[in-house]
Amino acid sequence: SSTANISPGHSIDSQNWIKTTPLGAIQAQLAAPSVVPQVSSYSLQQLGEKKIGIVLFLKENMDLFGDSELYVASVIATTDALNDVQKYGDDLLKRMSKEALLDKAVVTKLYSLFLGEGGSSSTAQGPAGGAGAMQAVDPQNSPWKTKRTPVSYNARFKILELLSRSRTASTLIAQAVQLIFSSLFGEANIAHPKLQHLALGFAQNIFREATDAQLKPISPFLLSGLSKYFAWLKEQAKSDTVNAVFAPHLESLRIAVLHNFSSLGKRSPSLFSSNITLVEDLMIELRETKSVVLVSATQEALLSLCPAISTVDHTVQQRLRALLASNFEQKWGLSEDPDAMQVDQQASDTPT
């Protein structure tokens, strides 16, 4: 355990609050002699027995604790390094009420564990160094002793699974957006494609559950971040040095982003009528990609953007028709008259 090297009453350096604090812990607690046990004196088996004892106590006395406390304990237990602890943690989690995930207090607590108290521990810049993602909270801008570090990757994965089942989670917009960008761009998460898959799926929940009033102010931000992430994935697909763990997931991640473009285009078509850069990029993607499933997902994204495209001015439509004609000629060997290729006006009647 990472607490084994921290003595009771140990003075924590606020300048290195992340490096010196165990995952999921609070600085002020570590400085209190009565809180941090001398776990270094326990064997691995003894630690496991004590953890199991705690989980069993919680399971037998669930009525004494709030749902948020029980969810925290069960999530941590299910992601423990010891299989026996995981088993008992899973059993506790199964006993939890599914309706508890509709409770704002429970969801807020899970967000706090995932992001850390007040925000992600890493800057949320794009993997390729780009901006377009939420900046992390600087621990020096608020009392550092009340900061909680994010939990481990395994615990974050479990938390995101739970939040993906919660309608309440997708309506807490500020936390939801930060979770997505922390998962996609956070330095600690970039080597974990499965977490990124979950985050992209979670974004779909926002497009489905958020009201127009909630979605409108964050739509440009989401589009910018997803576009940068999509461009980074394309770069990785062409790279000879792509991470071996990440490489098998590149295509499915690109498809997931395309599905997000489709959903965002249906909810916020004005985003794409005011800036057709993404539409042009997707047309080029359609021409260059050799994957059948990527072609299908790209076509779906473009079709979802038809209502937005149909409202652009004549000059822009001419440019799009020329690009589309070029795609026909270069990819399929067909020659079409650009002037004859009109944007489908009927698409403007497509439900959004």
Side-chain angles (χ1 to χ4, degrees):
S1 169
S2 51
T3 58
N5 297 322
I6 301 179
S7 303
H10 178 68
S11 176
I12 307 296
D13 179 6
S14 63
Q15 298 295 324
N16 296 296
W17 73 286
I18 294 172
K19 295 179 181 179
T20 59
T21 305
L23 298 176
I26 297 177
Q27 291 281 4
Q29 290 180 342
L30 296 179
S34 62
V35 173
V36 182
Q38 292 287 357
V39 296
S40 58
S41 61
Y42 299 139
S43 68
L44 189 61
Q45 180 179 353
Q46 289 173 322
L47 278 175
E49 290 171 351
K50 291 183 180 297
K51 291 177 182 178
I52 291 172
I54 292 172
V55 176
L56 288 175
F57 176 80
L58 293 173
K59 187 175 73 171
E60 296 299 325
N61 299 276
M62 293 179 66
D63 56 326
L64 299 179
F65 301 92
D67 287 334
S68 61
E69 296 171 308
L70 291 171
Y71 260 107
V72 168
S74 59
V75 164
I76 298 302
T78 58
T79 57
D80 193 83
L82 299 176
N83 291 334
D84 286 343
V85 179
Q86 292 178 22
K87 181 179 68 174
Y88 286 102
D90 284 332
D91 186 47
L92 176 61
L93 189 59
K94 289 175 183 177
R95 292 171 178 263
M96 295 295 300
S97 167
K98 301 297 187 293
E99 294 182 357
L101 288 175
L102 298 176
D103 186 339
K104 184 177 179 181
V106 173
V107 172
T108 300
K109 188 64 177 179
L110 292 176
Y111 270 127
S112 173
L113 289 175
F114 188 102
L115 296 168
E117 201 71 36
S120 172
S121 63
S122 62
T123 57
Q125 293 182 336
M134 189 171 290
Q135 293 297 317
V137 177
D138 183 353
Q140 300 308 313
N141 289 338
S142 57
W144 64 271
K145 287 187 178 181
T146 64
K147 289 290 180 180
R148 182 189 297 276
T149 57
V151 291
S152 68
Y153 162 74
N154 288 338
R156 273 177 283 176
F157 189 88
K158 174 61 71 174
I159 289 170
L160 188 45
E161 283 186 326
L162 293 171
L163 292 177
S164 296
R165 305 173 196 165
S166 169
R167 295 184 64 181
T168 302
S170 56
T171 60
L172 298 178
I173 298 299
Q175 295 99 316
V177 171
Q178 190 167 2
L179 179 146
I180 291 169
F181 284 100
S182 174
S183 299
L184 297 182
F185 296 135
E187 294 173 5
N189 300 327
I190 199 56
H192 299 295
K194 291 183 179 180
L195 187 69
Q196 296 180 31
H197 270 296
L198 271 182
L200 292 169
F202 183 70
Q204 294 281 0
N205 291 354
I206 296 179
F207 301 139
R208 183 168 54 250
E209 302 292 345
T211 65
D212 290 340
Q214 288 176 318
L215 192 58
K216 184 176 180 179
I218 65 168
S219 290
F221 181 70
L222 286 170
L223 178 59
S224 174
L226 288 170
S227 298
K228 287 179 172 63
Y229 179 67
F230 189 69
W232 179 79
L233 290 174
K234 288 181 65 176
E235 291 176 3
Q236 294 302 301
K238 298 175 182 178
S239 173
D240 295 329
T241 60
V242 63
N243 186 295
V245 175
F246 209 88
H249 298 270
L250 284 173
E251 181 174 273
S252 58
L253 284 169
R254 290 167 71 182
I255 292 171
V257 178
L258 288 167
H259 289 162
N260 274 274
F261 287 149
S262 297
S263 298
L264 186 56
K266 293 173 183 175
R267 288 296 307 271
S268 304
S270 60
L271 273 179
F272 302 89
S273 59
S274 59
N275 184 353
I276 64 163
T277 302
L278 177 64
V279 177
E280 293 177 314
D281 290 343
L282 291 181
M283 286 185 173
I284 295 173
E285 172 80 7
L286 189 63
R287 180 183 69 205
E288 294 179 347
T289 186
K290 295 180 175 60
S291 166
V292 175
V293 288
L294 268 176
V295 167
S296 177
T298 306
Q299 289 174 331
E300 178 186 342
L302 285 169
L303 286 172
S304 71
L305 300 180
C306 281
I309 299 173
S310 66
T311 64
V312 299
D313 62 42
H314 180 71
T315 302
V316 175
Q317 288 193 18
Q318 286 286 92
R319 193 165 83 232
L320 291 175
R321 289 199 296 271
L323 182 57
L324 186 57
S326 174
N327 284 352
F328 269 86
E329 184 175 356
Q330 293 187 37
K331 187 173 184 67
W332 292 287
L334 301 176
S335 178
E336 294 286 349
D337 178 7
D339 292 328
M341 305 179 69
Q342 301 296 324
V343 175
D344 186 357
Q345 296 297 325
Q346 293 182 350
S348 61
D349 298 326
T350 302
T352 60

